[in-house]
């Protein structure tokens, strides 16, 4: 979900990362002639914010696809432009060195170097985030959670850190804490449809073990509905709405005896949707998913991007035929 947090996580697909990596050589040749920290007219290539952002993205893509040489060149260009002591460049260098580490002992050495840097400058946020990512890759999730909590105490508006903490809590099965993290993000970005859907997913996953299962599922349905309200073509929103509404229908059964129940703990007194409403939501989600997959196939989108949707639609068709 993030850049400095992850062990090479891009929101790109594998094909997009490969394409970006393959273009790195040509891009470096075209824009990499300047070695001046400050651009000098007629002596350096034109630069912009987008130029350096592209270098950073290519660095991630090259590391992801194993093009270590091009990744190192991108890192060098960023270091020359912004200085090797720039916090973000230091974080990117740490990411590069972690990717080049041959064994766990090398990673532990990186961890010690991060500790030394933070001892000198505790405010170096990019280095702290790399340290957290390294702890996570070393399967030290509890230590990573502790460090993230400390980071958020110092910077409570760091949405990237809240998102990372959420995923760590989910990995440990601490769903209520994960929900709290997502709600903190939504306080700042209430119209973030992807965060609304992610909260719906966490609620859906936690429902079987929740004390108020119907309430958790009802809130999950509500979050997915909000997600697709904000972004009509958001596949994960419709996919989640289909799953959550069907699961809630199972909980309610075929009768309406539970329709009037109130879920005070999760829904603040909101009534659970009726069977009729849930059936309409499920049917609407199914229809919209089929439409999205059909449109994607017409525009040549890769099948694997929608394979999970295809599986759900097939399962729905089979269930109706029984």
């Amino acid at each position: 979900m993030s850049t400095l947090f992850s062990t090479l996580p891009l929101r790109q697909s594998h094909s997009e990362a490969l394409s970006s990596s393959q273009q790195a050589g040509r891009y470096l040749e075209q824009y990499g002639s300047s070695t001046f920290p400050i651009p000098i007219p007629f002596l350096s290539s034109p630069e912009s914010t987008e130029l350096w952002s592209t270098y950073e993205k290519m660095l991630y893509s090259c590391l992801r696809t194993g093009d270590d040489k091009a990744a190192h060149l991108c890192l060098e260009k960023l270091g020359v432009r912004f200085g090797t002591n720039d916090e973000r460049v230091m974080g990117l260098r740490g990411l590069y060195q972690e990717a080049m580490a041959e064994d766990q002992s090398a990673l532990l050495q990186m961890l010690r170097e991060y500790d030394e840097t933070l001892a000198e400058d505790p405010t170096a946020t990019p280095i702290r985030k790399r340290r957290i990512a390294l702890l996570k890759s070393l399967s030290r999730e509890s230590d990573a959670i502790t460090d993230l909590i400390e980071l958020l105490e110092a910077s409570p508006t760091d949405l990237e850190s809240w998102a990372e903490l959420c995923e760590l809590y989910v990995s440990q099965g601490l769903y209520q804490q994960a929900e709290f993290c997502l709600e903190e993000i939504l306080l700042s970005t209430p119209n973030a449809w992807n965060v609304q859907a992610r909260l719906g997913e966490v609620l859906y996953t936690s429902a079987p073990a929740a004390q108020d299962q119907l309430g958790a599922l009802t809130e999950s349905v509500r979050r997915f509905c909000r997600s697709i309200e904000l972004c009509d073509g958001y596949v994960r929103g419709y996919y989640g709405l289909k799953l959550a509404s069907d699961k809630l229908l199972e909980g309610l059964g075929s009768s309406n005896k539970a329709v009037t129940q109130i879920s005070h703990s999760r829904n603040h007194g909101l009534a659970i949707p009726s069977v009729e409403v849930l059936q309409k939501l499920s049917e609407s989600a199914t229809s919209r998913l089929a439409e999205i997959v059909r449109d994607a196939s017409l525009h040549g989108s890769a099948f694997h991007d929608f394979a999970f949707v295809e599986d759900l639609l097939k399962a729905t068709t089979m269930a109706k035929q029984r």
Side-chain angles (χ1 to χ4, degrees):
M1 335 206 10
S2 59
T3 51
L4 285 177
F5 264 129
S6 57
T7 50
L8 290 185
L10 279 184
R11 294 174 183 172
Q12 295 174 310
S13 66
H14 294 301
S15 58
E16 289 172 336
L18 180 60
S19 175
S20 177
S21 175
Q22 291 171 338
Q23 296 172 18
R26 184 169 66 253
Y27 194 89
L28 287 167
E29 182 179 350
Q30 180 178 357
Y31 294 101
S33 60
S34 173
T35 57
F36 297 98
I38 301 176
I40 302 176
F42 309 110
L43 295 181
S44 61
S45 301
E47 68 169 58
S48 64
T49 302
E50 291 74 18
L51 173 66
W52 301 108
S53 176
T54 300
Y55 272 129
E56 185 173 337
K57 291 177 181 177
M58 285 195 304
L59 169 62
Y60 290 119
S61 296
C62 291
L63 287 177
R64 188 176 176 185
T65 56
D67 191 347
D68 304 335
K69 182 179 179 181
H72 187 261
L73 288 174
C74 292
L75 182 61
E76 281 189 332
K77 295 298 180 183
L78 290 165
V80 169
R81 176 62 182 87
F82 298 101
T84 56
N85 291 326
D86 178 82
E87 288 186 358
R88 189 162 188 86
V89 173
M90 291 171 66
L92 293 172
R93 187 187 309 117
L95 176 63
Y96 175 81
Q97 292 173 341
E98 289 173 39
M100 297 299 102
E102 297 181 353
D103 51 33
Q104 187 166 352
S105 62
L107 292 175
L108 291 174
Q109 176 59 33
M110 286 296 306
L111 189 62
R112 287 189 287 271
E113 291 179 9
Y114 288 151
D115 289 338
E116 292 173 1
T117 301
L118 291 171
E120 297 176 1
D121 182 10
T123 64
T125 300
I127 298 300
R128 183 175 292 275
K129 289 184 176 182
R130 283 310 318 153
R131 184 180 187 278
I132 292 169
L134 184 52
L135 287 171
K136 183 179 176 181
S137 68
L138 292 170
S139 300
R140 293 170 55 178
E141 287 84 1
S142 296
D143 291 336
I145 288 174
T146 300
D147 276 18
L148 265 174
I149 292 174
E150 292 179 359
L151 177 59
L152 284 165
E153 287 177 351
S155 181
T157 59
D158 188 337
L159 303 187
E160 183 183 47
S161 295
W162 280 116
E164 184 67 18
L165 183 57
C166 165
E167 298 310 314
L168 280 169
Y169 278 139
V170 169
S171 72
Q172 301 301 300
L174 301 173
Y175 297 113
Q176 287 189 342
Q177 291 89 332
E179 292 169 29
F180 175 83
C181 294
L182 293 171
E183 288 167 355
E184 285 292 320
I185 297 174
L186 289 172
L187 287 176
S188 298
T189 57
N191 293 332
W193 60 84
N194 58 326
V195 180
Q196 294 282 0
R198 184 57 181 144
L199 181 51
E201 292 169 354
V202 172
L203 287 160
Y204 176 83
T205 305
S206 67
Q211 184 177 1
D212 181 11
Q213 294 185 20
L214 295 181
L217 289 171
T218 300
E219 182 66 8
S220 177
V221 168
R222 188 171 76 88
R223 294 294 181 173
F224 285 126
C225 285
R226 180 58 176 159
S227 173
I228 60 177
E229 179 186 9
L230 293 167
C231 182
D232 180 58
Y234 193 47
V235 175
R236 287 181 67 170
Y238 284 106
Y239 185 86
L241 178 59
K242 169 65 177 172
L243 292 178
S245 56
D246 285 352
K247 181 63 69 174
L248 188 51
L249 278 169
E250 290 180 15
L252 292 176
S254 58
S255 68
N256 288 326
K257 64 181 181 180
V259 172
T260 57
Q261 291 180 3
I262 303 297
S263 178
H264 295 283
S265 60
R266 286 190 180 271
N267 298 301
H268 309 290
L270 295 178
I272 296 174
S274 67
V275 170
E276 182 181 6
V277 168
L278 290 171
Q279 288 174 340
K280 288 182 178 179
L281 288 173
S282 178
E283 292 170 0
S284 176
T286 302
S287 175
R288 192 70 178 93
L289 285 171
E291 182 182 341
I292 291 173
V293 171
R294 185 168 56 253
D295 290 345
S297 63
L298 291 175
H299 290 84
S301 297
F303 173 79
H304 61 78
D305 291 338
F306 295 96
F308 66 100
V309 179
E310 291 273 7
D311 292 341
L312 179 62
L313 294 175
K314 289 178 181 178
T316 301
T317 301
M318 293 177 62
K320 288 182 178 180
Q321 292 175 349
R322 291 172 185 170

